[in-house]
């Protein structure tokens, strides 16, 4: 009773105490209580207590449901029958009780059925048991219907802690009971008050049922009950759920194809089509309209192959789907968007016509269908294009509404691109251009003109840019001529700038006599000084037109440099952000790449000048001033230089620049090595310089690496490892670099292994772990001759074993990739020369490594890491064969039989043995997934397995 009183007090505090801290404490206590063995009895007592309030009933029903699902193995085998009887008593008691509580108890009964065998329910399984009980106690039909509804839903639930084999077995048991369930539900149709529950349960069973002939379903009373209920306001929603499931059923893989399902399809489609007029019925409840629209969308998605034939019946469905697409409520209209995409794919994809006798006849049919559907897609373009129009009150909308509007614009863009696949970019462009001309005409002579339709039409034109030929000569010249004449409204100007960027390839291909580019550059310049959004769009557009029109700009660099210098200096009223100015840097870098080398060198100095001058001023102030400077004042300039080094594809020119700037970089390295942000920025700049310049780096690379080694020992910044990875990639195979790269490898890894001595070290410094093992993998790929024989190689294997179970995703992946790279090298022809060294390191550690990998598979790592861990175990097995089998046997022998059975262990070992002998490695992957599922089936089992497998602590002595 003391515990029950404590639960009562905790629930009262959770729901009613004014102090947030007290509520949080109560919540934590109740969660811990739910995991305890005592929760079974306490929850059961409260549920049977007539004095329990609704809060207690909900909590205890959830607790009991969760206990049955996850912790059933806690109970002795003889507890099944008392538990079943108690739950059954509760079901009957709650027949007219709170629906939320009844649902939880129903799920608990369903979960119980998954745990135990058919015989425990009297030989015929739970559905036969329900059938017998319903006949004996018709007064409890609401509870039985609830149970029948959740049974198929829970059949394959991974929330229920059972072995995979039992889950599959139960799903078969339930599927084989479908006819019995249908019979029970049919019997309940006679009770009008239960019809909603009957339909919901029928929909639930249809999701699980397979192989029922279409003719049987077409004449089934439950199907006809659902069809007749489409006219009922109260039953519309459950009826729609049933019809939707029937539609999905008729196209399921096991359905036998359209011909086999035609009796059912011919029954469903006319009935659904009869609802078309209700889409426009203003008196209809909005939720009912949504339900009907969902039916049309489901019908379109499911029967798209039939619709794509373009028959007269198909076009009636198309008209109905256009009706849905035209609905003023976006949530309703957008239900059809998937259908239009799938229809477009079906119409345009060549393999849709592979059944035709010849390629010519297939092409003829393709053209016929495209012609048939052209008017429909033209109508679709008109219907969706206005959806992107900015609302009048956009400024006052919430942030969530702004996100929704952005999502709508993206969705409409996708639909327009789909339309271009059927209509062609030029025809779609014509339709949208007519809307633009109309909108501009309505706006032109009015100071308070409505700019939103103009912007919407232009946004749509921008969205289809990739589908419009660069040779298009009718509409695009008119669009580009119109752009400078549009009102200078910030959001409209933003879209104008984006449109210029989107059509950069067309602008480049336009006849030179049209002189299109200069006025467009003026628009972009204006965009930079209007608003933050328009300046961002203008900067991106500058990047695109410089990339695609770089040759046209090579004679007008002075103008571009002037725009760039004003933008980065913040003068001239430009509102461009530091981040967006990077697009201008990229733009100029691309143009510089097109220049002759003698001009490119000077141009590079000019584009670097603002950043270099600022950094020179900073470094000239001396150490104390540099120490106190905010990191941002350094990184904004360094990041621009990094962008230049990355995008100016002239190795010698960039190499000269980095040599010239090195004294500035060295000063920052020396005075800010403690500053992670500054170092990350500077290492990124050096990385791009190395990547672009390659072997032209000359002596600069040597002094850079000396700096990196010395500073990494002092400050342990992970970015030094990241920079070294790029150096290894570029210079790893160069014999002339072997001495200083060997020294780099020894220095970096010996220091890192001193930092990562325990799993706690890994958890506290996952960035170093990540970059360390990324670098190690690079060494295996590019300079194994330096890395494998080094004194740090054994230490890194030890280090990887310690850190393999780190929860940090990227660090864990890097460690596992490193291990698989080592094993793959050992097993390759290129790695034969290193095999003896690798064997000497891995074999003494093989048993422990195998144990760590099996522990990782069975719960030490999240299940999302399963693929990477499996690959390491497979690589280990391919390399060491039957030795791995012995190591695995030793690991599995540690796990108590309560967690995994002998059969499950044997299955895993057999798959491992097959993989070791070179056969059927895919079976190993499937078996590993099964083993993982078994060992994670509930928290208690996972704790048992991990307690048995995980070594107390791995330690090693780092190389000094």
């Amino acid at each position: 009773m003391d515990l029950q009183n404590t639960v009562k007090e905790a629930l009262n505090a959770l729901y009613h105490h004014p102090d947030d801290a007290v509520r949080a404490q109560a919540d934590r206590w109740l969660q811990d209580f739910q995991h305890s063995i005592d929760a079974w009895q306490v929850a059961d007592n409260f549920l049977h207590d007539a004095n329990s309030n609704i809060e207690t009933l909900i909590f205890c029903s959830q607790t009991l449901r969760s206990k049955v699902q996850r912790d059933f193995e806690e109970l002795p085998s003889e507890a099944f029958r008392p538990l079943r009887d108690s739950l059954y008593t509760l079901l009957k008691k709650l027949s007219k009780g709170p629906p939320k509580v009844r649902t939880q108890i129903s799920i608990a009964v369903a979960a119980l059925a998954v745990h135990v065998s058919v015989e425990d329910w009297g030989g015929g399984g739970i559905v036969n048991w329900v059938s017998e009980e319903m006949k004996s106690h018709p007064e409890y039909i609401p509870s039985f219907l609830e149970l029948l509804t959740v049974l198929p839903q829970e059949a394959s639930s991974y929330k229920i802690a059972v072995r995979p084999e039992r889950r599959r077995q139960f799903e078969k048991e339930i599927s084989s009971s479908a006819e019995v369930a249908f019979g029970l539900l049919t019997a309940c149709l006679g009770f009008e008050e239960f019809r909603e529950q009957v339909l919901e349960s029928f929909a639930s069973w249809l999701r699980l049922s397979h192989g029922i002939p279409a003719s049987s379903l077409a004449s089934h009373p439950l199907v006809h009950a659902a069809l007749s209920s489409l006219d009922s306001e109260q039953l519309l929603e459950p009826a729609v759920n049933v019809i939707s499931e029937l539609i999905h059923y008729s196209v399921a893989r096991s359905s036998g194809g359209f011909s086999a399902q035609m009796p059912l399809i011919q029954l469903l489609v006319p009935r659904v089509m009869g609802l078309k007029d209700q889409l426009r019925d203003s008196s209809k409840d909005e939720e009912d309209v949504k339900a009907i629209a969902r039916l049309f969308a489901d019908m379109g998605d499911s029967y798209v192959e039939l619709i794509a034939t373009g028959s007269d019946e198909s076009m009636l469905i198309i008209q109905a789907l256009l009706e849905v697409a035209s609905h003023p409520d976006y949530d309703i209209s957008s239900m059809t968007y998937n259908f239009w995409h799938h229809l477009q794919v079906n119409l345009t994809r060549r393999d849709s016509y592979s059944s035709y006798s010849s390629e010519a006849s297939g092409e003829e049919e393709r053209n016929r269908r495209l012609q048939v559907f052209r008017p429909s897609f033209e109508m679709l373009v008109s219907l969706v294009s206005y959806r992107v129009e900015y609302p009048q009150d956009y400024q006052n909308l919430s942030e969530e509404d702004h996100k929704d509007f952005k999502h709508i614009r993206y969705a409409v863009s996708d639909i327009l691109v789909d339309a271009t696949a059927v209509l062609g970019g030029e025809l779609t462009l014509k339709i949208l251009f007519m809307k633009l001309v109309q909108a501009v005409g309505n706006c032109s002579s009015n100071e308070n003109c409505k700019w939103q339709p103009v912007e919407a039409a232009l946004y749509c034109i921008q969205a289809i840019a990739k589908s419009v030929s660069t040779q298009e000569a009718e509409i695009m010249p008119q669009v580009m001529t119109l752009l400078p004449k549009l009102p200078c409204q910030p959001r409209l100007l933003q879209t104008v700038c984006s449109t210029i960027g989107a059509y950069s390839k067309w602008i480049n291909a336009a006849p030179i006599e049209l002189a299109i580019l200069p006025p467009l550059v003026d628009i972009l310049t204006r965009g930079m000084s209007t608003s933050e959004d328009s300046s961002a769009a203008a900067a991106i557009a500058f990047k695109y037109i410089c990339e695609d029109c770089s040759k046209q700009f090579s004679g007008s660099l002075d103008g571009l440099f002037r725009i760039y210098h004003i933008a980065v200096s913040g003068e001239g009223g430009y509102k461009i952000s530091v981040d967006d100015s990077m697009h201008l840097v990229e733009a100029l870098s691309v143009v510089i790449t097109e220049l002759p080398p003698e001009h490119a060198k000077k141009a590079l100095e000019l584009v670097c000048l603002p950043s270099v001058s600022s950094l020179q001023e900073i470094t000239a102030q001396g150490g104390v001033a540099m120490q106190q400077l905010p990191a941002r004042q350094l990184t904004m300039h360094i990041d621009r230089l990094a962008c230049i080094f990355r995008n100016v594809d002239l190795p010698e020119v960039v190499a000269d620049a980095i040599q010239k700037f090195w004294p500035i970089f060295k000063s920052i390295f020396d005075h800010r090595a403690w500053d992670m942000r500054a170092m990350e920025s500077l290492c990124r700049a050096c990385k791009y310089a190395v990547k672009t310049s390659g072997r032209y780096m000359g002596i600069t690379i040597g002094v850079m690496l000396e700096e990196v080694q010395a500073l990494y020992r002092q400050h342990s910044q992970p970015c030094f490892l990241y920079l070294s990875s790029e150096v290894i990639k570029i210079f790893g195979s160069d014999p002339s670099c072997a001495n200083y790269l060997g020294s780099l490898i020894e220095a970096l890894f010996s220091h890192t292994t001193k930092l990562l001595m325990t799993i706690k070290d890994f958890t506290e410094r996952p960035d170093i772990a990540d970059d360390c093992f990324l670098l190690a993998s690079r060494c295996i790929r590019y300079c194994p001759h330096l890395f494998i024989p080094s004194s740090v190689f054994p230490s890194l294997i030890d280090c990887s074993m310690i850190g393999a179970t780190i929860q940090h995703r990227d660090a864990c992946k890097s460690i596992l990739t490193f291990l698989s790279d080592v094993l793959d090298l050992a097993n390759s022809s290129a790695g034969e020369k290193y095999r003896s060294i690798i064997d000497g390191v891995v074999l003494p550690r093989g048993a422990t490594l195998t144990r760590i990998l099996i522990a990782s598979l069975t719960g030490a790592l999240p299940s999302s890491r399963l693929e990477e861990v499996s690959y390491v175990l497979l690589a280990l097995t391919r390399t060491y064969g039957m030795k791995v089998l012995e190591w695995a046997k030793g690991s599995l022998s540690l796990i108590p039989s309560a967690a995994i059975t002998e059969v499950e262990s044997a299955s895993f070992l057999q798959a491992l043995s097959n993989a070791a002998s070179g056969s059927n490695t895919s079976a190993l992957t499937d078996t590993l997934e099964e083993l993982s599922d078994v060992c994670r089936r509930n928290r208690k089992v996972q704790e048992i397995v991990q307690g048995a497998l995980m070594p107390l602590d791995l330690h090693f002595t780092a190389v000094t």
Side-chain angles (χ1 to χ4, degrees), residues 523-800:
I523 293 174
L524 298 181
T525 307
R526 193 191 328 150
M528 287 188 195
S529 57
T530 301
S531 72
E532 288 184 11
D533 289 334
S534 67
S535 68
I540 294 171
F542 252 122
K543 172 190 164 185
Y544 289 141
I545 63 170
C546 283
E547 284 177 353
D548 293 319
C549 314
S550 54
K551 287 184 171 61
Q552 296 188 44
F553 278 113
S554 58
S556 55
L557 270 177
D558 289 347
L560 286 180
F561 277 125
R562 187 172 66 254
I563 293 169
Y564 167 68
H565 280 284
I566 294 172
V568 299
S569 67
E571 299 169 3
Y574 282 17
K575 300 182 183 296
I576 192 161
S577 69
V578 172
D579 290 338
D580 289 326
S581 71
M582 289 298 176
H583 298 302
L584 291 180
V585 177
E586 284 185 62
L588 279 168
S589 300
V590 172
V591 174
I592 290 169
T593 301
E594 294 294 330
L595 298 175
E598 63 276 10
H599 294 151
K601 187 173 181 180
K602 180 65 176 172
L604 182 68
E605 288 176 4
L606 282 172
V607 78
C608 291
L609 186 60
S611 296
V612 171
S613 298
S614 298
L615 291 174
Q616 279 176 330
E617 288 178 18
I618 291 168
T619 55
Q621 294 173 23
V624 176
M626 282 187 68
Q627 294 274 348
Q628 296 172 347
L629 197 72
R632 183 65 170 161
Q633 291 188 32
L634 284 167
T635 59
M636 63 188 288
H637 302 300
I638 299 170
D639 288 346
R640 284 192 189 124
L641 293 175
C643 187
I644 295 164
F645 297 155
R646 183 182 189 183
N647 291 285
V648 175
D649 192 14
L650 298 168
E652 289 184 79
V653 174
V654 171
D656 285 345
I658 192 70
Q659 187 172 356
K660 188 175 179 181
F661 304 152
W662 177 249
I664 299 172
F665 284 15
K666 186 176 187 316
S667 180
I668 299 169
F669 270 130
D670 290 344
H671 292 99
R672 296 288 292 219
W674 51 269
D675 181 352
M676 182 177 284
R677 285 184 62 195
M679 288 302 99
E680 284 178 348
S681 180
L682 193 51
C683 284
R684 188 161 48 246
C686 290
K687 172 197 164 180
Y688 288 131
V690 170
K691 196 171 184 177
T692 300
S693 302
R695 302 181 192 281
Y696 290 101
M697 284 284 286
I699 60 167
T700 312
I701 191 68
V703 295
M704 185 185 291
L705 292 181
E706 285 177 15
E707 193 78 16
V708 163
Q709 287 182 52
L711 293 175
Y712 184 60
R713 286 195 192 96
Q714 293 174 48
H715 299 283
S716 306
Q717 298 285 14
C719 55
F720 295 130
L721 299 171
Y722 154 88
L723 171 56
S724 300
S725 283
E726 194 62 38
V727 173
I728 292 291
K729 182 179 177 182
I730 302 294
F731 297 99
S733 58
D734 188 341
S736 67
C737 302
N739 285 338
Y740 70 74
L741 287 184
S743 171
L744 179 75
I745 288 169
E746 293 278 355
L748 296 180
F749 288 129
S750 62
H751 181 68
T752 304
T753 53
K754 290 171 189 169
L755 297 174
L756 303 174
M757 303 284 284
T758 66
I759 189 66
K760 184 169 180 277
D761 296 332
F762 277 83
T763 304
E764 289 174 352
R765 307 200 71 166
D767 45 358
I768 284 192
D770 185 19
D771 286 320
C772 166
F773 287 98
L774 283 174
L775 174 60
S777 284
R778 278 272 170 94
C779 290
I780 292 170
R781 291 187 186 96
Y782 295 102
C783 55
H785 61 290
L786 301 177
F787 177 63
I788 300 297
S790 71
S791 64
V792 294
F793 177 60
S795 300
L796 269 176
I797 294 292
D798 283 331
C799 193
S800 69

Side-chain angles (χ1 to χ4, degrees), residues 144-437:
F144 290 125
L145 286 175
E146 181 99 43
L147 179 55
L148 277 177
T149 302
V150 301
L151 268 171
Q153 294 170 359
E154 297 299 304
S156 56
S157 171
Y158 279 80
K159 290 180 179 177
I160 302 173
V162 291
R163 290 173 160 83
E165 181 55 40
R166 174 56 195 157
R167 189 179 291 114
R168 289 190 290 267
Q169 189 181 358
F170 182 75
E171 193 169 352
K172 288 178 185 173
E173 290 168 12
I174 287 294
S175 294
S176 66
S177 302
E179 290 292 352
V180 176
F182 286 178
L184 290 174
L185 295 174
T186 303
C188 292
L189 280 175
F191 303 95
E192 192 64 35
E193 67 270 28
F194 302 141
R195 186 161 283 218
E196 183 175 352
Q197 268 189 288
V198 168
L199 292 176
E200 288 292 5
S201 187
F202 182 39
S204 186
W205 279 91
L206 283 170
R207 291 181 204 118
L208 194 74
S209 303
H210 310 290
I212 302 171
S215 54
S216 299
L217 277 176
S219 59
H220 202 286
L222 287 168
V223 173
H224 286 276
L227 290 170
S228 64
S229 298
L230 290 172
D231 297 321
S232 163
E233 286 188 16
Q234 182 188 347
L235 299 175
L236 177 65
E237 185 75 31
V240 163
N241 290 338
V242 171
I243 307 305
S244 178
E245 291 300 333
L246 287 167
I247 290 170
H248 294 152
Y249 182 91
S250 67
V251 293
R253 285 184 182 178
S254 58
S255 66
F258 287 125
S259 56
Q261 292 297 318
M262 205 47 75
L264 184 58
I265 294 171
Q266 289 174 337
L267 176 70
L268 298 176
V269 172
R271 187 66 184 90
V272 174
M273 290 297 292
L275 301 171
K276 179 183 168 186
D277 291 342
Q278 296 188 38
L279 292 166
R280 296 192 301 268
D281 187 348
S282 57
S283 66
K284 200 83 178 162
D285 181 77
E286 185 182 338
E287 292 304 312
D288 288 348
V289 176
K290 279 185 180 178
I292 293 168
R294 177 160 61 85
L295 259 190
F296 279 103
D298 281 348
M299 187 169 68
D301 282 337
S302 299
Y303 302 144
V304 66
E305 289 180 35
L306 289 175
I307 294 168
T309 60
S311 64
D312 291 343
E313 294 86 351
S314 298
M315 300 319 290
L316 292 174
I317 297 175
I318 286 290
Q319 289 305 312
L321 288 163
L322 283 170
E323 192 79 50
V324 178
S326 70
H327 197 280
D329 186 330
Y330 172 78
D331 288 340
I332 291 174
S333 68
S334 62
M335 289 179 185
T336 66
Y337 286 7
N338 276 340
F339 163 74
W340 298 113
H341 171 70
H342 293 142
L343 177 61
Q344 171 270 122
V345 169
N346 202 283
L347 291 173
T348 57
R349 195 177 53 199
R350 299 287 171 182
D351 59 10
S352 298
Y353 307 93
S354 58
S355 60
Y356 285 80
S357 57
S358 68
E359 192 175 326
S361 59
E363 187 63 20
E364 184 181 345
E365 174 62 13
R366 181 176 182 272
N367 290 332
R368 182 194 73 79
R369 291 187 186 184
L370 289 173
Q371 200 62 38
V372 166
F373 284 99
R374 181 165 288 175
S376 302
F377 274 90
E378 288 179 4
M379 174 78 74
L380 182 66
V381 170
S382 294
L383 287 176
V384 301
S385 57
Y386 80 92
R387 301 271 180 194
V388 302
E389 197 172 300
Y390 272 96
Q392 293 288 342
D393 61 344
Y394 182 79
Q395 297 287 6
N396 301 323
L397 296 180
S398 67
E399 188 177 341
E400 196 61 38
D401 288 335
H402 284 174
K403 285 181 183 175
D404 289 344
F405 180 63
K406 208 177 251 187
H407 173 76
I408 290 171
R409 283 165 79 98
Y410 291 149
V412 169
S413 295
D414 290 341
I415 284 289
L416 292 171
V417 171
D418 285 328
T420 65
V422 175
L423 303 174
E426 285 68 23
L427 179 53
T428 312
L429 179 65
K430 272 186 182 176
I431 297 169
L432 296 171
F433 181 64
M434 288 170 61
K435 291 185 174 295
L436 177 63
V437 170

Side-chain angles (χ1 to χ4, degrees), residues 73 163 895-901 904 934-935 937 940-942 944-945:
E73 290 181 26
R163 290 173 160 83
I895 304 174
S897 58
I900 61 170
T901 63
E904 287 160 347
V934 165
C935 294
R937 65 186 185 270
K940 185 175 180 181
V941 169
Q942 193 165 338
I944 290 171
V945 173

Side-chain angles (χ1 to χ4, degrees), residues 44 48 77-89 112:
D44 188 68
H48 286 281
S77 57
E78 63 272 14
F80 160 70
R81 196 166 297 279
L83 177 59
R84 185 194 69 180
D85 293 345
S86 176
L87 290 170
Y88 181 36
T89 302
L112 186 61

